[in-house]
């Protein structure tokens, strides 16, 4: 009788066998299904197995990259050869091989066990194989869809007055401590303030938090606003808008295409293109600030293929 392998075992096998590749330079607004469609329409209908991707359950954004697994090493190699330069919503994707990461103790690690409020990373393959997963990209997108169908959403709060974060797990752990005693569904990523705001005294980073009910959000608003924390004071309020995941025109519509296809480059900008351009400008701004330590470790531009050959 064949035993079912855990997702961690499957990922380890794909890495060891050279069947996993890195896909980067994604617009934050790209959805898992968009990447899946690109792979299938690029000739990998039969050999593409799954994506490993993160989706923020509050903003709907991906981190700018994901991983794809194929049935064989040869098919992964074919993807490494054929996919660089393919445009996904008018942005060229970057491709690279994946290697097993070395074991190291993260800087944010705590002596006690850490359990994420919401595990964003997970496997994606077309239809949800688990009808009610409570974690991963399927659950994140379902959570966003449920919020989108509410006529009035008073379960989300803006929480400001936060300091800089080390990384997402450290941020999540710190927010768990701040929100202890409240029924929290998801904690969004910590957002860096604008340059002019960062120059002002005090802490100006912030995030958005989804609570289980309107009553829980109201209670958190009353009890947390003005509460002193290390380095400053919390600022809590209802968001001014529902966020990028719910903005009009916030869904991708432009087709993916090869970098050689320039037939639509001269077309007049449509509202959708302008919205996508604004999102791209926002992401380009982050990239100008430089890649994170993890991104540098994942992607070494011109040395990708050399690194693959060496391993």
């Amino acid at each position: 009788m064949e035993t079912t392998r855990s997702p961690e075992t499957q990922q380890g096998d794909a890495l060891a066998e050279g069947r996993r590749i890195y896909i980067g330079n994604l617009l934050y607004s790209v959805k898992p299904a968009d990447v899946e469609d690109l792979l299938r329409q690029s000739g990998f209908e039969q050999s593409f197995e799954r994506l490993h991707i993160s989706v923020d359950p509050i903003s709907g954004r991906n981190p700018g990259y994901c991983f794809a697994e194929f049935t064989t090493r040869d098919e992964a190699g074919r993807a490494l050869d054929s996919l660089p330069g393919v445009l996904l919503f008018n942005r060229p994707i970057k491709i690279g091989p994946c290697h097993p990461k070395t074991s190291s103790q993260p800087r944010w690690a705590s002596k006690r066990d850490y359990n994420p409020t919401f595990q964003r990373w997970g496997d994606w393959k077309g239809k949800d194989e688990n009808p009610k997963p409570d974690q991963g990209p399927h659950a994140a997108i379902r959570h966003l869809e449920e919020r989108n169908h509410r006529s009035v959403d008073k379960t989300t709060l803006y929480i400001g007055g936060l300091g800089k974060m080390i990384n997402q797990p450290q941020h999540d752990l710190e927010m768990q401590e701040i929100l202890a005693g409240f029924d929290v569904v998801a904690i969004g990523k910590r957002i860096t303030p604008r340059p002019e705001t960062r120059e002002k005294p005090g802490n100006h980073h912030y995030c958005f938090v989804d609570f289980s009910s309107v009553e829980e959000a109201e209670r958190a608003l009353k009890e947390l606003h003005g509460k002193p924390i290390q380095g400053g004071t919390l600022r809590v309020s209802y968001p001014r808008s529902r966020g990028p995941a719910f903005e009009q025109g916030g869904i991708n519509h432009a087709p993916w295409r090869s970098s050689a296809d320039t037939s639509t480059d001269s077309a007049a900008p449509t509202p959708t293109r302008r919205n996508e351009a604004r999102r791209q400008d926002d992401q380009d701004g982050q990239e100008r600030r430089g890649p994170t330590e993890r991104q540098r470790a994942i992607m070494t531009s011109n040395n990708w293929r050399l690194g693959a050959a060496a391993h």
Side-chain angles (χ1 to χ4, degrees), residues 3-308:
T3 58
T4 302
R5 296 178 301 163
S6 68
E8 291 77 13
T9 300
Q10 293 174 357
Q11 294 167 23
D13 291 347
L15 275 171
E17 296 166 10
R19 297 186 288 105
R20 196 182 212 209
I21 70 170
Y22 166 92
I23 301 177
N25 204 37
L26 302 176
L27 286 166
Y28 292 142
S29 55
V30 164
K31 301 298 184 286
D34 297 329
V35 182
E36 186 178 48
D37 287 345
L38 181 148
L39 292 172
R40 296 192 185 284
Q41 295 180 50
S42 295
F44 298 97
E45 175 74 29
Q46 302 302 320
S47 60
F48 164 67
E49 282 196 329
R50 65 180 61 84
L51 290 179
H52 190 63
I53 191 168
S54 169
V55 176
D56 188 288
I58 296 180
S59 69
R61 292 183 170 188
N62 69 73
Y65 63 93
C66 66
F67 304 93
E69 295 178 9
F70 298 85
T71 54
T72 66
R73 184 189 186 97
D74 288 344
E75 283 298 284
R78 186 165 71 89
L80 290 171
D81 288 330
S82 64
L83 292 178
V86 170
L87 300 183
L88 182 58
F89 302 108
N90 299 323
R91 190 182 184 92
I93 62 173
K94 294 182 179 180
I95 305 294
C98 294
H99 310 295
K101 60 183 178 181
T102 58
S103 177
S104 61
Q105 183 77 351
R107 290 182 294 166
W108 56 269
S110 172
K111 292 183 179 179
R112 68 179 185 275
D113 291 336
Y114 162 67
N115 294 311
T117 307
F118 190 101
Q119 179 55 264
R120 295 165 173 77
W121 282 97
D123 289 337
W124 175 281
K125 184 180 179 183
K127 293 183 178 179
D128 193 351
E129 296 176 356
N130 182 349
K132 287 293 181 183
D134 57 359
Q135 306 284 282
H138 284 289
I141 290 175
R142 187 173 59 252
H143 175 70
L144 288 163
E145 290 174 346
E146 290 172 354
R147 283 181 58 201
N148 195 33
H149 284 92
R150 300 173 191 166
S151 57
V152 177
D153 186 8
K154 289 288 188 178
T155 60
T156 302
L157 292 179
Y158 160 94
I159 300 183
L162 305 173
K164 294 180 180 179
M165 73 174 190
I166 296 173
N167 55 25
Q168 178 59 33
Q170 174 268 336
H171 158 64
D172 189 53
L173 184 59
E174 181 180 341
M175 293 306 299
Q176 285 183 13
E177 294 174 352
I178 290 174
L179 298 167
F182 296 98
D183 193 358
V184 174
V185 175
I187 298 171
K189 293 184 178 181
R190 190 169 303 196
I191 300 173
T192 302
R194 296 177 180 275
E196 58 270 23
T197 303
R198 292 200 296 271
E199 295 175 358
K200 298 178 181 179
N203 293 331
H204 302 286
H205 290 68
Y206 61 94
C207 70
F208 296 94
V209 177
D210 277 355
F211 294 83
S212 61
S213 66
V214 173
E215 291 74 22
E216 277 296 280
E218 289 177 347
R219 185 167 71 89
L221 176 61
K222 292 177 181 178
E223 296 183 15
L224 295 179
H225 181 63
K227 180 180 179 180
I229 61 171
Q230 184 176 1
T233 303
L234 290 178
R235 298 187 300 274
V236 184
S237 65
Y238 289 112
R240 294 179 181 176
S241 69
R242 301 189 70 188
F246 305 103
E247 292 173 359
Q248 186 175 5
I251 301 174
N252 292 322
H253 294 290
W256 70 268
R257 57 189 175 90
S258 163
S259 59
D261 179 8
T262 58
S263 59
T264 61
D265 284 353
S266 61
T270 63
T272 298
R273 287 189 179 185
R274 286 194 293 269
N275 288 333
E276 199 61 51
R278 283 194 292 269
R279 285 192 291 273
Q280 181 164 333
D281 288 342
D282 178 56
Q283 185 157 336
D284 287 342
Q286 175 173 335
E287 290 170 355
R288 283 194 293 272
R289 292 195 292 271
T292 64
E293 181 179 345
R294 175 170 180 172
Q295 287 170 332
R296 282 193 295 269
I298 293 174
M299 181 178 67
T300 325
S301 63
N302 296 332
N303 293 325
W304 284 348
R305 302 310 302 275
L306 295 176

